[in-house]
Amino acid sequence: MKHASRAPADHDRTQTLGFLLLDNFTLISLASAIEPLRMANQLAGRELYRWYTLSVDGGPVRASDGLQVTPDVAVTMPLTLDMVVVCGGVGPNRSVQREHVVWLQSQARLSRRLGAICTGSWALAKAGLLDGYETSIHWECLAAMQEAFPRVVLTTRLFSIDRDRASASGGTAPLDMMLTLIGRDHGRELAAGISEMFICDRVRNEHDHQRVPLKHVLGTTQPKLLEIVALMEANLEEPIALDELAEYVDVSRRQLERLFQKYLHCSPSRYYLKLRLTRARQLLKQTPMSIIEVASACGFVSTPHFSKCYREFFGMPPRDERLGSGTIDLSPLALKKEAAALLQGAAFEAVPLEPVSSAVVALDQARGEPTYASVRLKP
């Protein structure tokens, strides 16, 4: 993926984000995007980030769970924004209005950074602002968006950061995206501190993918194939021979091979190996299991064979995956070493012609928390 050659972050300047709410946006995605900003301010003891929620007319917007959110301002308010994030949800093709498109195009002309969470990428694509950009969107919309916007480079990654565009697939993925952005701006110690506060034991990175349900890819047209894959997923530690799999679902070995080649574009043995190695990667990243234990749990009879298959599939041996995966060390010892001195809270300065951001209120309330100003930012 392509990263922008961004200038070093100005640590003394507050970054301002605007969250554009589309009808039926998902509340969990909005919270996953805003809460890391709130906690960044709390741990730093000053306003690193300021945010506003927006709608076309400033009126309430209903979320997908039926709750209504009253935005801070209408898009006509002349805010000075560093980044605009579109918050989508159910039925983005129905939620995106002409006013959204026009306003987003105006923000692009002002060189704002643009982002999207859940299905918000649909709005940016409709505005012509994602052509040639790698983009993430919730897996439910992948096929429809590819059809509607062929110039957008869609991916199944949890989130994508491509130059001045950032997009997250939905659910809790915006949390990982924001932690990555915060870490780039203010250092991994702050991102690690936020993760600890949210009981998040691993920050997923840009190489992690959504797990797109196979039934969504195939629909209901291939029940035999779905049944075979379900058997594979349930038997990773002790893999079932392909002849047995074929017998279980009452197809021939040749039919089995044809089904996989036609619909999954690989052999059944290759697909089975992919399932086992993907599971192994999860165990390496998320558990303290030894490499020998991981190999055994994923059906490999020897560690050398496991390492060889792993290297061929992921481009690195299991040991390097564990030692150099790029994940943030969230162990208590590491955090204790990194997070120490307190910072004096910076006084807030009123911003003329702009409404009061809820970031100011949240930070003021956080002053009595024991974690307030508990992380020293990188110089």
Side-chain angles (χ1 to χ4, degrees):
M1 70 200 61
K2 308 161 199 169
H3 296 297
S5 55
R6 293 170 56 186
D10 181 355
H11 303 298
D12 295 325
R13 188 179 71 82
T14 299
Q15 292 191 52
T16 304
L17 292 85
F19 291 88
L20 177 64
L21 308 182
L22 303 181
D23 286 334
N24 287 313
F25 73 95
T26 51
L27 204 56
I28 187 173
S29 292
L30 177 65
S32 295
I34 290 181
E35 284 297 308
L37 305 178
R38 175 185 71 85
M39 191 54 63
N41 289 351
Q42 177 174 320
L43 298 184
R46 58 190 177 91
E47 195 183 14
L48 302 178
Y49 298 97
R50 181 179 303 155
W51 59 85
Y52 300 97
T53 50
L54 306 97
S55 68
V56 169
D57 57 4
V61 181
R62 192 176 297 278
S64 58
D65 58 9
L67 295 178
Q68 282 193 324
V69 173
T70 301
D72 297 311
V73 293
V75 295
T76 52
M77 170 70 70
L79 293 173
T80 302
L81 301 173
D82 295 289
M83 184 175 187
V84 172
V85 180
V86 185
C87 308
V90 178
N93 55 326
R94 301 186 300 273
S95 299
V96 180
Q97 305 169 13
R98 180 179 177 277
E99 291 84 355
H100 294 133
V101 170
V102 171
W103 184 73
L104 289 170
Q105 290 171 338
S106 72
Q107 296 304 295
R109 287 193 293 272
L110 292 171
S111 300
R112 312 284 196 230
R113 284 185 290 145
L114 300 174
I117 56 179
C118 196
T119 62
S121 295
W122 191 284
L124 293 178
K126 192 167 184 178
L129 302 174
L130 289 180
D131 291 357
Y133 284 91
E134 184 172 280
T135 303
S136 294
I137 194 170
H138 193 280
W139 57 261
E140 281 189 309
C141 281
L142 275 171
M145 187 158 170
Q146 188 68 79
E147 181 72 23
F149 308 106
R151 294 183 180 179
V152 178
V153 184
L154 286 169
T155 175
T156 59
R157 295 181 193 274
L158 288 174
F159 66 91
S160 302
I161 302 173
D162 186 350
R163 291 160 286 176
D164 56 351
R165 303 287 190 269
S167 52
S169 54
T172 58
L175 170 64
D176 301 281
M177 182 177 78
M178 287 300 186
L179 285 173
T180 298
L181 293 173
I182 291 168
R184 291 182 183 181
D185 287 341
H186 299 289
R188 62 188 299 272
E189 180 188 338
L190 181 58
I194 297 168
S195 300
E196 185 183 50
M197 291 296 291
F198 291 152
I199 325 297
C200 176
D201 60 357
R202 183 175 83 88
V203 181
R204 298 172 294 183
N205 60 37
E206 294 164 86
H207 301 293
D208 286 299
H209 288 256
Q210 302 176 65
R211 190 177 186 278
V212 182
L214 189 61
K215 62 183 180 181
H216 176 75
V217 178
L218 299 177
T220 58
T221 60
Q222 297 301 321
K224 296 285 188 183
L225 186 54
L226 290 173
E227 190 176 352
I228 293 167
V229 171
L231 283 169
M232 288 179 170
E233 291 177 334
N235 294 274
L236 299 180
E237 187 169 353
E238 296 182 9
I240 303 175
L242 297 185
D243 287 330
E244 290 182 67
L245 283 171
E247 187 177 343
Y248 276 134
V249 297
D250 195 26
V251 298
S252 69
R253 172 69 177 265
R254 178 166 295 193
Q255 285 177 303
L256 182 68
E257 298 275 357
R258 285 174 177 170
L259 282 172
F260 274 83
Q261 288 292 348
K262 182 175 181 180
Y263 294 102
L264 298 177
H265 313 295
C266 66
S267 67
S269 57
R270 179 67 177 172
Y271 190 86
Y272 210 165
L273 178 62
K274 175 184 176 183
L275 290 177
R276 292 159 59 205
L277 289 172
T278 300
R279 175 61 176 158
R281 190 168 189 251
Q282 292 172 338
L283 294 176
L284 286 170
K285 285 176 167 288
Q286 300 174 11
T287 75
M289 292 172 64
S290 69
I291 292 176
I292 296 175
E293 290 172 326
V294 170
S296 176
C298 297
F300 292 91
V301 295
S302 72
T303 304
H305 178 58
F306 168 59
S307 296
K308 177 177 180 293
C309 293
Y310 199 97
R311 181 194 293 270
E312 289 175 352
F313 195 84
F314 291 114
M316 67 173 70
R319 184 172 183 274
D320 290 356
E321 182 78 87
R322 169 154 285 169
L323 295 178
S325 63
T327 56
I328 294 175
D329 185 354
L330 301 178
S331 67
L333 179 61
L335 292 171
K336 186 175 180 180
K337 286 180 178 179
E338 291 184 359
L342 302 179
L343 296 176
Q344 292 295 326
F348 299 121
E349 294 183 5
V351 180
L353 301 179
E354 288 192 0
V356 176
S357 168
S358 54
V360 177
V361 178
L363 184 54
D364 187 56
Q365 292 176 338
R367 289 180 183 276
E369 296 296 320
T371 55
Y372 181 81
S374 61
V375 175
R376 183 183 298 278
L377 301 183
K378 66 181 182 181

